Every structure is written in C-alpha cells, then in structure tokens.
Amino acid sequence: MTFVLCFATETANPISQKFLRTGNLIAYLGGVVFDSSTFEVREMFDWGVSEVLSDRVAIANFYYKDNLPFINALERYSYSECISKLRAVMRRNSVSVMGAYNITFDKQALQDTCFRFDVPFILDDYQLIDLYSMSCDMLRGSENYRTFCVENDRVSAAGNISANAESVYAYLNNKPTFEEAHTALADAKIESNIYANCLKYQKETGRLLTTVPNNSCWRWIQASKRKER
C-alpha cells in the first residue's frame, strides 16, 4: 500500500530576488493525499503563507490576482508552520511519493521558500513524480486526445496541442469546457485525478510511464501515431 501526496503551489515574486533561483516564493500551497491502490482520498489541505501574503510587492506581482478574495479567506500560517504541518500530514499518512504537474517548478519553489525563510525540508526523502511527463507519456501520439484538443480550442497560436493539466484533466473526464480555478487545492485535486488515471493506464496496459521531468514531453502528444483501443 502506497500513499501519495499530489501537491500544488501558487507563487508570488518579492521585491528582492537576489536570494532566489527562480524569483518565486510560495504564497499558498495545497495537497491531496490518496491511496495509490484504491484511490481513496485520505486528507486534503490548503494553507496560505503569511510572510508572502503580507508582502505587498509580492502580491502585486501575483499572476492570479482574481483569486485574491479566495486567498484572503485562507487559513494563514508562517512558512515554518506550513512545513511543520506538511510534515505531520505526510507522517500520519505514511506518504512516500510526492507528485506534481511540472514538479520541477514546485520543487524549486519549495526549495527557494525554504531557503528564504531558513526552514529545512528534504525532498530527497521522497520519491518525486512528474505528472506532466507521466500524462504526456500516457497520451503519447493519441489521436483521440489530439482530436479532443482541436475540437475544443485547446491548441496554441503556434498550432501545438495543449499539454497542460487543465486540458489533460478535461479530456480524461470528458469535460470539454473545463477551466482550472488556479488555486492550490483545486489544482492538486485535478492532479490527483490525472495521477490516478495514469496508474490505471499502467495497470491495464502493463506499460510503465516515465515519471522523470522532461522539458520536451509536450512534443510526445503532437503527432497522431498510436492506434487506440
């Protein structure tokens, strides 16, 4: 029995970025813990980071400003408290796997925020899964997915089929008009659904999907090659 944490971060940019690799600090984070065998949800959370949410410059640079009323209603904790609570969630659920869509970004945001506020958190203690690479591998050359995206305006101006979590979730759940809320817990729920679908695919096909981050994984779904069941 393996318990997985699918997590998402929403970030903002402070005035001084000299101590950061990416310029991103976590404004709030959310997650879903579930059993990878039964897909039963064990726990969910959504926490604001008080130091970042009280930084006027950081919030002024926050991309999803429309979400500020939601963010202001979140329970807020210091970043140290958030990490302590995160450790507690993972400990009581015996979490051994952490997954995120484009986990490279979320991992770096965690590391940057830990560095900024001098809070230790060792990600090497867990198996890290990139759901972006995993889902693109599952949909590699999928004619059905390509058709879905073309018919539902999920194609970039350059003509590339969308590979983001919103489009993948919309396809897997037959929700053509679905739009992400872009809040941490809502995103984590989407990602846990994508991960569950990837696990089901592996079980049905016997094909293991890649879990390693790959910046070019979006290319795997551009051409229709695979004959589908």
Side-chain angles (χ1 to χ4, degrees):
M1 185 178 295
T2 301
F3 295 104
V4 176
L5 168 65
C6 284
F7 73 102
T9 63
E10 299 297 340
T11 61
N13 305 114
I15 189 168
S16 176
Q17 300 179 6
K18 64 182 180 181
F19 52 81
L20 302 173
R21 297 177 180 85
T22 63
N24 295 312
L25 291 180
I26 296 174
Y28 63 109
L29 69 158
V32 175
V33 177
F34 71 97
D35 184 330
S36 64
S37 298
T38 65
F39 309 117
E40 176 189 3
V41 173
R42 295 283 297 265
E43 191 166 351
M44 296 186 291
F45 61 85
D46 210 12
W47 306 317
V49 178
S50 57
E51 297 99 325
V52 180
L53 292 176
S54 61
D55 185 323
R56 292 184 179 180
V57 175
I59 294 305
N61 292 327
F62 185 56
Y63 188 77
Y64 298 111
K65 291 186 177 66
D66 290 345
N67 289 340
L68 286 178
F70 167 83
I71 295 169
N72 290 332
L74 281 176
E75 289 184 290
R76 296 190 186 191
Y77 302 94
S78 70
Y79 188 66
S80 178
E81 289 173 319
C82 285
I83 293 300
S84 293
K85 289 170 69 67
L86 178 60
R87 286 199 190 95
V89 167
M90 300 179 79
R91 186 169 53 250
R92 65 174 164 263
N93 292 289
S94 301
V95 169
S96 59
V97 178
M98 296 179 70
Y101 210 88
N102 189 15
I103 199 168
T104 301
F105 175 89
D106 295 285
K107 177 182 177 181
Q108 194 64 65
L110 275 168
Q111 291 175 328
D112 279 347
T113 314
C114 283
F115 180 74
R116 171 64 180 86
F117 298 118
D118 193 23
V119 177
F121 184 66
I122 303 175
L123 286 168
D124 292 342
D125 290 343
Y126 307 95
Q127 179 186 2
L128 301 182
I129 300 293
D130 184 21
L131 302 178
Y132 181 32
S133 291
M134 203 174 188
S135 60
C136 286
D137 193 11
M138 177 176 64
L139 298 171
R140 186 187 293 263
S142 168
E143 186 173 345
N144 287 347
Y145 181 67
R146 181 180 178 84
T147 299
F148 175 86
C149 288
V150 170
E151 290 180 347
N152 294 287
D153 196 26
R154 295 181 181 273
V155 181
S156 73
N160 294 318
I161 299 300
S162 173
N164 61 25
E166 178 183 271
S167 294
V168 172
Y169 176 87
Y171 170 74
L172 293 174
N173 294 275
N174 193 27
K175 296 182 177 181
T177 61
F178 174 78
E179 294 183 7
E180 282 183 294
H182 293 295
T183 63
L185 179 55
D187 288 354
K189 288 179 178 179
I190 291 168
E191 294 171 19
S192 65
N193 176 274
I194 292 172
Y195 190 27
N197 275 277
C198 287
L199 293 175
K200 291 174 183 176
Y201 173 87
Q202 288 187 148
K203 185 175 181 179
E204 291 173 358
T205 65
R207 184 169 80 87
L208 291 179
L209 301 171
T210 183
T211 60
V212 178
N214 186 314
N215 290 334
S216 298
C217 65
W218 61 274
R219 297 181 183 276
W220 303 342
I221 63 175
Q222 299 309 309
S224 299
K225 298 177 181 178
R226 193 179 80 219
K227 184 177 180 180
E228 305 190 48
R229 294 172 293 140

